Amino acid sequence: MDNIYIEYDFTVTPKEPATEILIAELGSVGFESFVENDNGVVAYIQKIEWNETILENLFVLSSSEFHIEHSHKEIAQTNWNAEWEKNFNPIQVDDKVSVRAPFHANPNLAYDIVIEPKMSFGTGHHETTHMMLQHLLDLEVKDKKVLDMGCGTGILAIFAEMKGAKPIDAIDIDAWCYENSVENAERNNCKNISVYEGDATLLKDKKYDVIIANINRNILLQDMETYTNCLLDNGELLLSGFYKEDIPLIDKEVSKYNLSLQKTIYRNNWVALRYKK
């Protein structure tokens, strides 16, 4: 039997930083997946984990600094693809990478990624995924060992394999993301990606040439020592999932481990940083 989810649609004014705070608070009470949009965020929680009062103690909803409206409804797992197909448009990154669903035409760029997200991050539409694809376009990753941490749909791991990386580990704590990454890797005929469900504790004794971490700021700060310990000498660390205002915090933490900033990409208020060890 398919899991039943409760979908909450939040309209947030002003959008930043309220949306980031809202996502963090929703995660703390059991919400599993989030999709940001122009108006705010859509959030999902399993019905068995949900109750009518689940939002009562969320600080951000009672804050005078923000205006947040919301509605909710039930949604079955089997309905998800139909829901996003209504709104999912193909994208292109720097006229070299296409990201599309199976039902879109192939634009015949240098790289063609076909994904079918199931309540997971990383369709390429979000600024952070788009910027990470740009960073990977710049990098020589052939025969390099790569980690995609917080892999979402698996899009960045898939792109790394298309550029010749191997082997590749893709890790996400979200069960939906794990399942979706496995399916999308198969859909793109990937042979060198291993997908795992879990967190940074899975990285013990692992070593990589390139580490991609597109996660929220607090998780990045929490796990930075683990990432840098896993990075081989001359390795590259790609970080995103945070705002321009967070750069000093991130840079201060990374600099503790003798990594140097190589490149910064901005997209709207989001940023993606590339460091070298």
Side-chain angles (χ1 to χ4, degrees):
M1 180 177 175
D2 290 321
N3 293 333
I4 302 297
Y5 273 71
I6 305 295
E7 175 191 274
Y8 275 79
D9 191 345
F10 293 91
T11 301
V12 184
T13 310
K15 190 179 172 188
E16 310 301 350
T19 301
E20 182 181 18
I21 299 169
L22 176 61
I23 288 173
E25 290 201 68
L26 291 170
S28 72
V29 297
F31 282 79
E32 294 182 6
S33 296
F34 310 91
V35 179
E36 291 191 53
N37 56 38
D38 291 341
N39 298 317
V41 64
V42 182
Y44 298 89
I45 184 171
Q46 288 195 51
K47 187 175 181 180
I48 59 172
E49 302 291 335
W50 174 82
N51 63 73
E52 290 280 359
T53 62
I54 197 162
L55 302 183
E56 278 190 0
N57 296 316
L58 267 59
F59 162 80
V60 70
L61 296 183
S62 59
S63 171
S64 60
E65 297 180 48
F66 315 119
H67 179 69
I68 301 177
E69 297 180 349
H70 61 84
S71 59
H72 68 274
K73 64 181 180 181
E74 284 191 11
I75 181 170
Q77 179 177 355
T78 49
N79 292 338
W80 177 246
N81 287 341
E83 288 294 317
W84 74 252
E85 280 181 17
K86 296 176 191 172
N87 305 298
F88 183 74
N89 296 311
I91 67 159
Q92 297 182 6
V93 178
D94 296 349
D95 295 322
K96 295 179 181 177
V97 186
S98 58
V99 182
R100 62 185 179 91
F103 51 84
H104 292 137
N106 184 348
N108 296 310
L109 301 184
Y111 303 96
D112 179 47
I113 303 171
V114 181
I115 62 167
E116 196 162 353
K118 290 185 177 179
M119 291 189 181
S120 51
F121 299 103
T123 62
H125 289 75
H126 193 274
E127 287 90 339
T128 59
T129 309
H130 193 284
M131 291 184 294
M132 290 299 234
L133 289 168
Q134 290 179 299
H135 272 308
L136 282 170
L137 263 173
D138 279 349
L139 281 183
E140 175 53 66
V141 298
K142 184 173 173 58
D143 295 324
K144 291 187 176 180
K145 188 170 185 180
V146 172
L147 168 66
D148 182 4
M149 193 71 197
C151 56
T153 59
I155 184 174
L156 299 175
I158 292 165
F159 185 43
E161 173 159 335
M162 288 181 174
K163 291 201 68 190
K166 62 179 180 181
I168 302 160
D169 288 343
I171 299 175
D172 205 292
I173 198 167
D174 187 311
W176 285 90
C177 293
Y178 164 78
E179 176 187 322
N180 199 203
S181 291
V182 170
E183 292 176 358
N184 285 326
E186 292 174 353
R187 182 172 285 109
N188 288 273
N189 299 311
C190 294
K191 308 299 182 188
N192 300 300
I193 298 174
S194 300
V195 185
Y196 302 95
E197 183 179 345
D199 57 17
T201 59
L202 296 178
L203 300 178
K204 186 178 179 182
D205 300 324
K206 297 274 194 175
K207 293 290 183 182
Y208 301 95
D209 297 294
V210 179
I211 295 177
I212 304 161
N214 185 12
I215 316 178
N216 71 64
R217 182 195 69 185
N218 293 338
I219 298 297
L220 289 176
L221 293 172
Q222 171 189 298
D223 293 337
M224 194 69 71
E225 182 176 8
T226 300
Y227 302 152
T228 55
N229 286 342
C230 292
L231 195 62
L232 292 163
D233 289 343
N234 296 311
E236 306 271 0
L237 176 63
L238 310 182
L239 302 175
S240 195
F242 49 91
Y243 303 110
K244 287 187 285 189
E245 294 81 1
D246 297 318
I247 292 177
L249 269 176
I250 296 292
D251 194 60
K252 181 180 178 182
E253 185 64 24
V254 177
S255 63
K256 292 179 184 177
Y257 308 103
N258 300 315
L259 275 70
S260 59
L261 181 62
Q262 302 293 301
K263 185 174 181 179
T264 303
I265 300 176
Y266 299 98
R267 192 171 177 85
N268 296 326
N269 199 44
W270 297 89
V271 65
L273 308 177
R274 175 161 63 91
Y275 288 90
K276 188 165 187 176
K277 189 171 184 179

